[in-house]
Amino acid sequence: MDMLAQLLDRVRLGGTLLFHFELGHPWHLELPARPYALFHYISRGSATLAFEQRQEMQLAEGDLVVITRGEPHVFYSDRRAKPLRIIDIDRASSRFGVIRHGSRAKPHATMICGNFTISRPLFGNVLELLPPVLLLKPTTDGGWLEAILRRMVSESALERPGQHVALSRLTEVLFVEVLRSWISSLSPGQGGWLGAISDPHIGPALKLIHESPERPWTLSGLGRRVGLGRSAFSARFTKLVGQSVQRYVIERRMAEAAFLLETSDEPIARIASRVGYETPAAFSKLFHRHSGESPGRYRAARRADGSHAQLDGSEMQVSD
């Protein structure tokens, strides 16, 4: 089982390209808080990225930065310049356009921006596993990044059938590559669950839990399967994953149950059994504790949500 692929498939990852800036020094952009992750790619030149409560970051050509929690931030070449405020980046024209800001001289910097969205944020939100700000520097094998973003720009330039779907799929591929690059950059013990996948002992244990969440896993049993004693396995698991084995098993079961409630018509009693609970009552009580809703209400609410169109991120307004 590819646990990362399963997670990304089940959380309904989406997103799109939002805009392309051409920036002449001096320039200054302000972006508000958003309920999704934003990514920015410096395709030419350089920029300074700043937050309210965080140190400034210097970005160079080829850098990709992901604001995983969507917190407010600014970009600038000169912070004293009058800011261009992005009033509502969820609303705009049906055509992608270039926004020119700063001096009228030849652009000193160009930046492509977009978003990543998760439509199942309650269970398995992979964005919560990432740091608030993720900076990826260009590498010798990073041609995928420029290729994907160039394709996103060309796809957005003209209205064609299937444009929204094409941009959404390109964004999904981009996000997978971002995750791969970040995971490969981690040192042992970093990255929580995502980093623990690569650990020679904890990775196989996670795979066992994901493949069969309904089994009555114990510290001793899992430890034997991966070649560690009970105490050593428990300590290593908690250190790398960030929570105990027992807690992780419960969360994995709840995530699986949520997925089945949303995507199948199986009776709740059957779902309870499939995730390791002998009675629907025991399962329902625990599910309510985790989600704040009974299994039946959760299923009804998510089915209703699925009937509404998802945010396409294709609209934007700007204001001086």
Side-chain angles (χ1 to χ4, degrees), residues 77 153 185 211 213 237 242 269 281-282 320:
S77 66
V153 172
S185 72
E211 288 177 340
F237 190 100
D320 294 327

Side-chain angles (χ1 to χ4, degrees), residues 7-20:
L7 175 63
L8 292 176
D9 179 61
R10 292 189 174 187
V11 299
R12 289 181 185 163
L13 174 68
T16 192
L17 187 67
L18 293 173
F19 39 76
H20 182 190

Side-chain angles (χ1 to χ4, degrees), residues 1-316:
M1 172 188 288
D2 184 336
M3 290 183 288
L4 182 59
Q6 181 197 56
L7 175 63
L8 292 176
D9 179 61
R10 292 189 174 187
V11 299
R12 289 181 185 163
L13 174 68
T16 192
L17 187 67
L18 293 173
F19 39 76
H20 182 190
F21 284 112
E22 290 187 354
L23 306 161
H25 180 75
W27 57 269
H28 185 176
L29 303 172
E30 290 186 359
L31 292 93
R34 303 309 306 150
Y36 45 67
L38 287 168
F39 65 85
H40 307 285
Y41 174 64
I42 308 299
S43 53
R44 183 196 306 171
S46 61
T48 299
L49 169 62
F51 302 85
E52 293 180 356
Q53 303 295 330
R54 191 174 290 114
Q55 188 176 4
E56 295 180 346
M57 300 175 64
Q58 302 301 318
L59 305 179
E61 186 170 314
D63 287 353
L64 174 72
V65 63
V66 183
I67 316 300
T68 61
R69 313 290 193 267
E71 64 181 290
H73 52 285
V74 299
F75 285 98
Y76 58 85
S77 66
D78 185 343
R79 197 156 193 173
R80 296 169 297 181
K82 182 180 179 181
L84 176 67
R85 296 181 174 88
I86 310 302
I87 301 301
D88 189 345
I89 57 179
D90 302 331
R91 302 182 55 198
S93 63
S94 59
R95 286 176 62 93
F96 176 81
V98 174
I99 297 177
R100 295 175 176 85
H101 172 57
S103 72
R104 300 298 180 182
K106 184 177 180 180
H108 291 274
T110 57
M111 183 168 64
I112 298 168
C113 305
N115 68 6
F116 297 125
T117 60
I118 299 291
S119 60
R120 273 197 195 100
L122 183 58
F123 294 101
N125 187 350
V126 68
L127 292 172
E128 294 180 355
L129 303 175
L130 301 177
V133 182
L134 177 59
L135 173 62
L136 295 177
K137 309 291 288 187
T139 61
T140 55
D141 61 348
W144 57 267
L145 177 60
E146 187 174 0
I148 292 172
L149 288 167
R150 283 183 175 178
R151 179 58 185 169
M152 292 176 75
V153 172
S154 63
E155 182 64 39
S156 300
L158 297 172
E159 290 186 81
R160 294 188 294 174
Q163 182 185 55
H164 173 72
V165 175
L167 285 171
S168 179
R169 297 296 182 269
L170 286 167
T171 307
E172 291 179 27
V173 174
L174 175 64
F175 188 65
V176 171
E177 293 295 345
V178 166
L179 282 179
R180 286 173 171 171
S181 295
W182 183 68
I183 292 171
S184 67
S185 72
L186 294 173
S187 300
Q190 293 183 326
W193 179 86
L194 287 174
I197 291 175
S198 302
D199 184 82
H201 297 288
I202 303 307
L206 289 169
K207 185 176 181 180
L208 287 169
I209 295 169
H210 277 246
E211 288 177 340
S212 303
E214 77 286 354
R215 294 190 60 178
W217 294 112
T218 65
L219 287 173
S220 298
L222 279 171
R224 284 195 301 270
R225 295 286 294 271
V226 300
L228 288 177
R230 183 181 185 278
S231 297
F233 172 70
S234 177
R236 189 177 185 87
F237 190 100
T238 301
K239 178 181 178 181
L240 296 183
V241 179
Q243 58 185 296
S244 68
V245 174
Q246 294 88 345
R247 181 70 180 177
Y248 189 86
V249 169
I250 291 174
E251 292 196 357
R252 176 72 191 96
R253 289 175 171 180
M254 295 300 99
E256 182 69 14
F259 176 75
L260 293 172
L261 287 167
E262 291 186 48
T263 61
S264 78
D265 293 320
E266 290 191 41
I268 291 175
R270 171 59 179 161
I271 292 176
S273 177
R274 287 187 60 177
V275 297
Y277 296 93
E278 294 183 359
T279 67
F283 163 68
S284 296
K285 181 178 180 179
L286 189 56
F287 189 89
H288 188 281
R289 186 186 305 166
H290 276 256
S291 70
E293 298 175 290
S294 68
R297 286 185 179 275
Y298 181 89
R299 168 177 273 171
R302 297 314 180 275
R303 296 286 176 88
D305 290 344
S307 66
H308 299 299
Q310 294 185 14
L311 171 69
D312 65 9
S314 63
E315 300 190 343
M316 174 193 63

